[in-house]
Amino acid sequence: MNIGEAAARSGVSAKMIRHYEAIGLIGAVRSANGYRVYGERDVAVLRFIRHARDLGFPLEDVRRLLALWQDRNRASAEVKRLALAHVAALESKADSLRRMAASLRHLAAHCHGDDRPDCPILDDLARKD
Amino acid sequence: MNIGEAAARSGVSAKMIRHYEAIGLIGAVRSANGYRVYGERDVAVLRFIRHARDLGFPLEDVRRLLALWQDRNRASAEVKRLALAHVAALESKADSLRRMAASLRHLAAHCHGDDRPDCPILDDLARKD
DNA sequence: CTGGCCCTTCCCAATATGGGAAGGTCAAGG
DNA sequence: CCTTGACCTTCCCATATTGGGAAGGGCCAG
């Protein structure tokens, strides 16, 4: 199958498939006319990548997970370690976002939101520290 | 004062100050030798930008907030609207990260994490949907 | 054989920040 | 007076991810 069908079946855009090939994440076989040719196995790999990306894994992590997935003799410990490190990073980022939202919500609560120019949000942004 | 001191006093790197000037977020006066020259007012503006960035405002929002801050006749309604829209975006992003972390944590909990190759994390990433 | 769709490569865009090279300027001290 | 080191300048490149679009070639049905 050509790149368009592989894209449709994997949920990864053709643009991204070419990109993943360019950065060495996946390989590609070419037919006589230069078109990329894919099989079921490639579609499965692309789906794997998409799911990992959906979980927020950066491509470098995806590269490692993919190597582990394709290694019949891998140890699950390595996968678990990678996953838990990523969970911690995700949760820390989520906390930081919630803290930002909370402080901004607090500032907004004290801004009357009418035609007057006073606004504690701007006052806070202008603080000296 | 030169860019180095303005950077140290505002907490914005010299690199970023030049960038903010390049994209028209701030202006700059040059002395005879071509060096950028800043005053107290500029340091306050840079600090304003840094605080807004710390709260996660993208630069385009910062541009609008800055205009509102510098406008003596602004209405606080606009600031509040911008802030609350941003709060909603932050919270939605935080939720999405927490959902990712939860599902990954769930998968990791069922991965024994030893020398055996079986691992539900990889199995899930390889699923067909 | 022609129209329309698919494929190719290559360039550019956005987000924000930083590294580093090559060269100009200025102040202090030998 | 000249050297040295710290500071400044501009310009290019890099990160990570995805997409838009142009220019050109391939392939099949009507």
Side-chain angles (χ1 to χ4, degrees), chain B residues 3-110:
Chain B
I3 200 172
E5 193 184 340
R9 300 223 351 237
S10 65
V12 178
S13 73
K15 212 72 172 172
M16 280 300 98
I17 295 177
R18 294 195 192 94
H19 178 62
Y20 293 156
E21 179 188 336
I23 64 173
L25 198 58
I26 59 176
V29 176
R30 303 295 182 109
S31 66
N33 55 22
Y35 286 14
R36 289 167 178 83
V37 178
Y38 300 96
E40 293 307 319
R41 179 92 200 143
D42 302 297
V43 172
V45 168
L46 288 169
R47 275 201 277 246
F48 181 100
I49 295 173
R50 179 169 59 83
H51 291 316
R53 294 284 307 132
D54 286 349
L55 284 175
F57 281 100
L59 283 181
E60 281 316 298
D61 281 16
V62 174
R63 194 190 296 274
R64 272 176 266 161
L65 287 171
L66 204 47
L68 291 169
W69 181 48
Q70 291 169 334
D71 174 8
R72 292 288 99 195
N73 297 322
R74 86 233 166 183
S76 63
E78 170 70 1
V79 181
K80 188 165 187 169
R81 196 189 54 71
L82 215 53
L84 287 180
H86 188 52
V87 164
L90 288 174
E91 285 177 346
S92 138
K93 198 163 178 181
D95 280 356
S96 149
L97 286 177
R98 268 186 292 120
R99 272 195 302 275
M100 279 181 215
S103 75
L104 199 50
R105 187 182 280 291
H106 176 77
L107 289 172
H110 296 286

Side-chain angles (χ1 to χ4, degrees), chain A residues 13 15-16 19-20 33 35 53 58-59:
Chain A
S13 74
K15 211 73 170 170
M16 281 299 99
H19 178 63
Y20 293 156
N33 55 20
Y35 287 14
R53 294 283 309 132
L59 284 182

